[in-house]
Coordinates of all heavy atoms in Angstrom, one line a residue:
I5 N -77.7 -189.4 -62.3 CA -76.4 -189.2 -62.1 C -75.9 -189.7 -60.8 O -76.6 -189.7 -59.6 CB -76.1 -187.6 -62.2 CG1 -76.6 -187.1 -63.4 CG2 -74.6 -187.4 -61.9 CD1 -75.9 -187.6 -64.7
A13 N -70.9 -180.5 -57.4 CA -71.7 -179.6 -58.2 C -71.1 -178.1 -57.9 O -71.1 -177.2 -58.7 CB -73.1 -179.6 -57.8
M18 N -69.7 -173.6 -66.1 CA -70.1 -173.8 -67.5 C -68.9 -174.1 -68.4 O -69.0 -174.7 -69.5 CB -71.1 -172.6 -68.0 CG -72.5 -172.5 -67.3 SD -73.3 -174.0 -67.6 CE -73.7 -173.9 -69.5
W36 N -61.2 -181.9 -73.9 CA -62.4 -181.2 -74.3 C -63.6 -182.2 -74.6 O -63.2 -183.2 -75.2 CB -62.2 -180.4 -75.7 CG -61.4 -179.2 -75.4 CD1 -60.8 -178.7 -74.3 CD2 -61.2 -178.1 -76.3 NE1 -60.2 -177.5 -74.6 CE2 -60.4 -177.0 -75.8 CE3 -61.7 -177.9 -77.8 CZ2 -60.2 -175.9 -76.5 CZ3 -61.2 -176.8 -78.5 CH2 -60.4 -175.9 -77.8
A73 N -61.6 -175.9 -84.4 CA -61.0 -175.2 -85.6 C -60.1 -174.0 -85.2 O -59.1 -173.9 -85.8 CB -62.1 -174.8 -86.6
V134 N -61.2 -193.8 -81.0 CA -61.8 -195.0 -80.3 C -63.2 -194.6 -80.0 O -63.4 -193.5 -79.5 CB -60.9 -195.5 -79.2 CG1 -61.5 -196.8 -78.7 CG2 -59.5 -195.6 -79.5
S176 N -105.5 -191.5 -85.4 CA -106.8 -191.2 -85.0 C -106.9 -189.7 -85.1 O -105.8 -188.9 -85.6 CB -107.2 -191.6 -83.7 OG -106.3 -191.0 -82.7
N202 N -81.2 -200.6 -94.2 CA -81.9 -201.9 -94.0 C -82.8 -202.2 -95.2 O -83.5 -203.3 -95.2 CB -82.8 -201.9 -92.6 CG -84.0 -201.0 -92.6 OD1 -84.6 -200.8 -93.6 ND2 -84.4 -200.5 -91.4
T249 N -87.0 -181.4 -81.9 CA -87.8 -181.1 -80.6 C -89.3 -181.3 -80.8 O -89.9 -181.9 -80.0 CB -87.5 -179.7 -80.2 OG1 -86.2 -179.4 -79.9 CG2 -88.3 -179.3 -79.0
N277 N -89.7 -192.2 -67.1 CA -89.8 -190.8 -67.4 C -90.9 -190.4 -68.2 O -91.2 -189.1 -68.4 CB -88.6 -190.2 -67.8 CG -87.4 -190.2 -66.9 OD1 -87.7 -190.3 -65.7 ND2 -86.2 -190.2 -67.4
A282 N -94.0 -197.3 -72.7 CA -93.4 -197.3 -73.9 C -92.5 -198.4 -74.1 O -91.9 -199.1 -73.0 CB -92.5 -195.9 -74.0
T310 N -50.0 -182.9 -79.3 CA -49.9 -183.1 -77.7 C -48.4 -183.3 -77.3 O -47.7 -184.0 -78.1 CB -50.7 -184.2 -77.2 OG1 -50.6 -184.3 -75.8 CG2 -50.3 -185.6 -77.8
E321 N -57.4 -194.7 -72.5 CA -57.6 -196.2 -72.0 C -58.4 -196.3 -70.8 O -59.3 -197.1 -70.6 CB -56.3 -196.8 -71.9 CG -56.4 -198.4 -71.7 CD -54.9 -199.0 -71.8 OE1 -53.9 -198.3 -71.8 OE2 -54.9 -200.2 -71.8
S325 N -62.4 -198.1 -69.8 CA -62.5 -199.0 -68.8 C -63.9 -199.3 -68.3 O -64.8 -198.5 -68.5 CB -61.5 -198.7 -67.6 OG -62.1 -197.6 -66.9
A335 N -74.4 -195.7 -65.8 CA -75.0 -195.2 -64.6 C -75.9 -194.1 -64.8 O -76.9 -193.7 -64.1 CB -74.1 -195.1 -63.4
G337 N -77.5 -193.3 -67.8 CA -78.4 -193.6 -68.8 C -78.0 -193.7 -70.1 O -78.6 -193.9 -71.1
A341 N -69.3 -198.2 -75.0 CA -68.9 -198.4 -76.4 C -68.6 -199.9 -76.6 O -68.5 -200.5 -77.7 CB -67.7 -197.6 -76.7
A352 N -79.4 -205.0 -65.7 CA -80.0 -206.3 -65.4 C -81.6 -206.1 -65.1 O -82.0 -205.0 -64.5 CB -79.6 -206.8 -64.1
P355 N -84.8 -205.4 -70.4 CA -84.5 -205.9 -71.9 C -84.4 -204.9 -72.9 O -83.8 -205.2 -74.1 CB -85.8 -206.7 -72.2 CG -86.8 -206.2 -71.2 CD -86.1 -205.8 -70.0
L390 N -91.2 -184.9 -100.0 CA -92.4 -184.7 -99.1 C -93.3 -183.7 -99.6 O -94.5 -183.7 -99.1 CB -91.8 -184.6 -97.6 CG -91.1 -185.9 -97.1 CD1 -90.7 -185.6 -95.7 CD2 -91.9 -187.1 -97.2
A399 N -85.5 -186.6 -106.6 CA -84.9 -185.9 -105.5 C -83.6 -186.5 -105.2 O -82.6 -185.8 -104.9 CB -86.0 -186.0 -104.3
K404 N -77.7 -186.7 -105.1 CA -76.4 -187.5 -105.4 C -75.5 -186.6 -106.2 O -74.2 -186.5 -106.0 CB -76.7 -188.8 -106.2 CG -75.5 -189.6 -106.5 CD -75.3 -189.7 -108.0 CE -74.3 -190.5 -108.7 NZ -73.1 -190.9 -107.7

Side-chain angles (χ1 to χ4, degrees):
I5 304 297
M18 291 300 291
W36 286 10
V134 187
S176 67
N202 70 31
T249 300
N277 289 337
T310 179
E321 194 168 4
S325 69
L390 294 181
K404 180 242 184 343

